[in-house]
Amino acid sequence: MWTKYFTLPLLGIATLVQATPVVGPRQACQNTPTSRKCWGEYSVNTDYYVETPDTGVTREYWLNVHHAILAPDGYRRELMVVNGSVPGPTIEADWGDHVVIHVTNNMLHNGTSIHWHGIRQLGSVQSDGVPGVTECPIAPGESKTYRFRATQYGTAWYHSHFSLQLAEGIVGPIVIHGPTTANYDVDVGPVMLMEYFHQSAFHIWEKTQRKIALIQPVAENGLINGLNPYDCNSSSKSKNDPACIGTEDGERFQVSFEKGKKYRFRIIGAQVDGYMKFTIDNHVLTVVAADFVPIKPYTTDSVILASGQRYDVVVEANADENSAYWIRAIYQTACNQNDNENKNNILGIARYNNNNNNAKPTSTRHRSITNSCGDEPYASLVPWVAHTVGSSAVSESIPLQWFYELDLVFHWTLHSKTLIVNWSDPTVLDVHDGVTAFPTLGNVVKIDYVDRWVYWVIKDLTLVNAFHPMHLHGHDFYILAQGRGPYIPGITRLNTVNPPRRDTVTLGGNGYTVIAFKTDNPGSWLFHCHIAWHASQGLAMQLVERGAELSLPASDVTEMRDSCEVWSDWYEDSAHKQDDSGI
C-alpha cells in the first residue's frame, strides 16, 4: 500500500499529484503484513460500491502503442506492444485515486483503443475504451487521454479492444492497492498468463476463423509475465526456422521465496482463447479475491482462469528451503478443441533463498489437478462484503447461437443478433445526442430503469458444447445460477443471498448462467465473450443503460467528435478495412 500512508516511486512512467486527503471520523488502522484488512479509515469491510476513500491523488501515465520485433520465448516476430514490451507496464494506483492515462498510437496502419478491464468506470463511460461503443479508434499518430477513478481495488488488466490486437500483445496489468482478506508479507505483483502464437493473429483469423471456423487455432507456446523458453529443436519445422533463435539461459519468470514468509500473487488470465490453471508445486494457494471482489479465503492446489478472469492468491513459503519448485500455467484441453503445443511446459520457478545453484526444479505437480474447463467452484467464491440481490425489474433470456452467411463467413449471435460496430459512430455519442433507435448490427438492448435489478438468463443453444467466458463492462454482476443442461424457469434455483460476484464468468457448453446487476451506471456497455476469436465473430451485445440520463462533459464530447473526424479521414484511405465485429 502506498500514497496515503507512504509513497513508492513509479519508475519514471507516472507522475503523482498529492493533495491533502480528507480525514474521516473513524480511527485509522495501518495496512501491514499482520493487518492487511486495514486501510486507514477504511477496511476490507467497507462496501466500495457505496464508499470510496478521498485520497486527493491523481496518478498519470503515458503509454505508447507501437510495432516491435521481439522474441519473448525465443521466436522472433513482429508484435503490437505497449512501451516496448509484452506485457506492457503496470498501471498502479491506490483505492480512491484518480487515474489519467495518455495513449499514443504510433502504429502506421492500424487504429487502436485501450480498455481497462474490470474498472467500473462509474460516471466515466467515455473512458471505457471500446471502439464503436465508447469512442472512435485512435488514428495513427494521434493520442487519447483516458480518465477514471479507482473506486474498486485489487487486480485487473488493460488491453486493446480493437479487433484482434489483444492477441498481438497489446496487454498489461493494473494494480489498485487496497485491503485484503488475508495477511501476507510480500506482494509479488501481477502474474499474467497467456498463449503465444508464432503467427500473426490476423493471419490466423483470415486463414481459419473468418470463414467456416471449424479449425481451432493451436498456439505454439504460452507465457508467464512474457517469458517461457520455446525449444527450437522440438520439430524439424522450428529447427529450420531462422526466426527461432532461442532464449538466453532459457529465461523464465522467477520468484524468490524466504521460508516462513507469505507471498501475494495477482494472477491474470490474458489468453486469446482457452483456460489455464495456475499452481505451484508443493505449495497451497489461499484465494483472497475473484476479479476485483474480495472473498472469504479458501485453499486449493490450483486456480483455473478463463480469459479476462483474475485471482489473487497468498502462498506461504513452507517447503524445503534448499529447493526450487515449478510454477505452472497448465493449458487445459478439455473443451472447445483447445490445445497448445507446449501445454505442459509453461513454467516459472519459485526458488528459495538457500537454493542458489540455478538448477532446474525437479518437483512434480499436485495430483489433484485435472484437465477441465469452467470456473472455480461456485460455493468457494463467497464475497467478503455480503450483498443480497433484490427481485428483478427486468428478467430477460439471452440465447447464444450461430449462423453462416452465404459466403460461409461465420458469426456467433447473442440475444438473436450478431454484433458489428461502426468504428466511426460510437454508441455513447449517439446516446448523448438523444438517439433512441440504433442500427440492427449494433445489437443494442436498452434498459431505462433506475437503480433496479436486471436478471439475464444466458443460454447456450448452439449444441456445439463450447465454453464461453462472458464479460460485462461497467458492472460487477451477481451469479445467481450456473450449470450444464437446460435452464428451467421456476425449477432452476436462483441464489440471491450473497452470490458470487465478479465481471467475467463462464457459460458452460450447452448450459446456462444467470447473472444479475443493478442499473446504477448510465452508459453504453459491452457484454461479450472474451475469447478473442469469438468476439471478432460477433459474440457480443451492447447495453444502453439509462440513456436519457447520460450527459457527457462538454470537453469530452468535443474531444470525441474531433477524434472521430480525424479517424474517419484517416480510415477512408486506409488499406485495412474492418472484416470482423470491430471489438
Side-chain angles (χ1 to χ4, degrees):
M1 165 174 137
W2 36 294
T3 310
K4 194 169 185 182
Y5 311 105
F6 58 89
T7 302
L8 297 179
L10 292 178
L11 303 179
I13 61 171
T15 59
L16 169 66
V17 180
Q18 177 84 56
T20 303
V22 176
V23 178
R26 290 165 291 197
Q27 184 176 357
C29 176
Q30 189 173 4
N31 183 278
T32 71
T34 58
S35 58
R36 294 296 184 189
K37 291 185 176 70
C38 295
W39 197 257
E41 297 98 35
Y42 303 85
S43 75
V44 75
N45 297 318
T46 305
D47 189 339
Y48 61 47
Y49 301 105
V50 176
E51 193 171 15
T52 302
D54 185 357
T55 65
V57 171
T58 297
R59 307 280 176 184
E60 193 166 14
Y61 291 84
W62 286 262
L63 301 183
N64 170 28
V65 178
H66 60 101
H67 288 279
I69 297 176
L70 300 176
D73 71 340
Y75 189 92
R76 286 172 57 87
R77 78 170 183 91
E78 186 175 63
L79 297 169
M80 297 175 175
V81 301
V82 182
N83 290 17
S85 66
V86 178
T90 301
I91 301 297
E92 269 185 287
D94 274 345
W95 178 27
D97 287 352
H98 292 265
V99 182
V100 176
I101 307 170
H102 310 281
V103 177
T104 298
N105 179 8
N106 279 314
M107 297 185 292
L108 296 178
H109 306 297
N110 281 271
T112 196
S113 74
I114 302 295
H115 169 58
W116 319 97
H117 183 114
I119 299 293
R120 190 178 173 200
Q121 299 291 2
L122 183 64
S124 55
V125 62
Q126 65 274 20
S127 287
D128 197 43
V130 185
V133 179
T134 62
E135 66 175 78
C136 287
I138 307 169
E142 299 296 318
S143 300
K144 176 179 172 62
T145 297
Y146 297 87
R147 299 177 177 88
F148 56 84
R149 183 129 182 249
T151 59
Q152 308 137 285
Y153 56 83
T155 304
W157 62 305
Y158 61 88
H159 60 81
S160 172
H161 230 304
F162 185 97
S163 190
L164 287 163
Q165 289 180 354
L166 175 157
E168 289 294 280
I170 303 179
V171 299
I174 299 174
V175 172
I176 308 298
H177 296 280
T180 312
T181 60
N183 291 329
Y184 60 90
D185 300 287
V186 178
D187 191 335
V188 172
V191 180
M192 296 195 80
L193 313 181
M194 63 186 78
E195 313 101 321
Y196 182 58
F197 289 88
H198 290 176
Q199 295 183 66
S200 163
F202 295 101
H203 174 75
I204 296 170
W205 165 255
E206 185 58 35
K207 186 178 179 181
T208 70
Q209 295 300 294
R210 189 170 74 85
K211 291 187 176 183
I212 304 178
L214 293 178
I215 299 175
Q216 181 68 9
V218 176
E220 287 78 7
N221 200 4
L223 305 176
I224 302 177
N225 273 1
L227 299 171
N228 192 53
Y230 180 77
D231 183 3
C232 290
N233 294 315
S234 61
S235 69
S236 57
K237 178 183 175 182
S238 59
K239 186 182 296 186
N240 297 317
D241 190 339
C244 207
I245 60 175
T247 61
E248 184 178 348
D249 299 324
E251 189 176 6
R252 299 185 186 274
F253 169 69
Q254 295 204 36
V255 177
S256 295
F257 275 1
E258 180 181 340
K259 191 174 179 66
K261 290 191 177 296
K262 295 180 179 180
Y263 296 81
R264 177 180 183 168
F265 290 75
R266 301 171 178 270
I267 312 162
I268 301 168
Q271 306 96 299
V272 176
D273 193 354
Y275 291 78
M276 299 178 86
K277 289 186 178 179
F278 177 90
T279 181
I280 303 177
D281 294 350
N282 291 52
H283 293 78
V284 173
L285 313 180
T286 298
V287 187
V288 297
D291 297 348
F292 258 143
V293 178
I295 64 174
K296 294 183 178 180
Y298 72 94
T299 58
T300 181
D301 290 334
S302 66
V303 287
I304 185 169
L305 296 97
S307 176
Q309 293 182 329
R310 295 90 64 205
Y311 288 101
D312 286 32
V313 304
V314 174
V315 179
E316 183 174 0
N318 56 8
D320 182 359
E321 61 185 345
N322 297 304
S323 297
Y325 300 89
W326 288 121
I327 299 171
R328 301 177 188 269
I330 308 169
Y331 193 87
Q332 304 298 290
T333 62
C335 64
N336 298 17
Q337 299 179 337
N338 286 330
D339 206 349
N340 185 292
E341 290 184 12
N342 208 26
K343 55 181 170 286
N344 293 315
N345 192 38
I346 306 169
L347 303 169
I349 298 174
R351 192 179 299 280
Y352 279 75
N353 290 350
N354 286 2
N355 181 272
N356 55 11
N357 59 13
N358 291 323
K360 290 183 179 180
T362 58
S363 58
T364 57
R365 78 184 198 183
H366 294 278
R367 292 182 178 179
S368 63
I369 297 174
T370 60
N371 183 22
S372 65
C373 294
D375 295 335
E376 281 293 284
Y378 183 95
S380 298
L381 303 177
V382 181
W384 183 270
V385 176
H387 287 183
T388 297
V389 176
S391 58
S392 62
V394 176
S395 184
E396 193 157 7
S397 176
I398 311 289
L400 188 154
Q401 296 170 295
W402 57 269
F403 71 94
Y404 285 111
E405 294 185 26
L406 291 177
D407 60 357
L408 298 182
V409 171
F410 177 81
H411 297 279
W412 295 98
T413 68
L414 197 59
H415 204 245
S416 78
K417 302 182 187 73
T418 196
L419 177 131
I420 302 176
V421 299
N422 182 346
W423 283 333
S424 300
D425 184 16
T427 304
V428 73
L429 201 53
D430 287 342
V431 175
H432 173 84
D433 290 342
V435 173
T436 57
F438 301 94
T440 299
L441 289 176
N443 201 7
V444 170
V445 171
K446 296 187 293 182
I447 299 178
D448 295 324
Y449 285 102
V450 177
D451 293 334
R452 299 289 299 276
W453 289 100
V454 173
Y455 291 8
W456 280 353
V457 182
I458 311 154
K459 299 183 289 187
D460 176 20
L461 304 183
T462 64
L463 301 180
V464 298
N465 198 30
F467 284 59
H468 302 276
M470 304 301 296
H471 172 54
L472 177 61
H473 294 213
H475 294 272
D476 285 333
F477 49 71
Y478 301 70
I479 307 169
L480 305 187
Q482 188 177 31
R484 306 294 297 277
Y487 170 82
I488 305 174
I491 301 297
T492 302
R493 178 180 174 272
L494 301 183
N495 174 25
T496 60
V497 180
N498 200 29
R501 61 180 183 266
R502 60 187 319 167
D503 58 62
T504 306
V505 66
T506 291
L507 170 64
N510 301 330
Y512 61 88
T513 298
V514 183
I515 66 171
F517 60 91
K518 206 169 190 179
T519 55
D520 56 7
N521 196 8
S524 56
W525 305 111
L526 192 66
F527 179 56
H528 65 102
C529 176
H530 218 281
I531 294 172
W533 315 118
H534 296 182
S536 279
Q537 291 159 344
L539 186 38
M541 57 186 264
Q542 296 184 67
L543 165 66
V544 170
E545 179 179 349
R546 294 165 58 175
E549 299 177 50
L550 182 65
S551 180
L552 303 176
S555 59
D556 288 350
V557 172
T558 299
E559 181 181 308
M560 191 178 300
R561 294 194 198 282
D562 289 346
S563 68
C564 286
E565 183 176 351
V566 170
W567 165 258
S568 296
D569 290 345
W570 178 85
Y571 186 66
E572 185 176 358
D573 298 323
S574 169
H576 302 290
K577 300 303 183 184
Q578 181 177 349
D579 66 354
D580 69 353
S581 68
I583 60 151

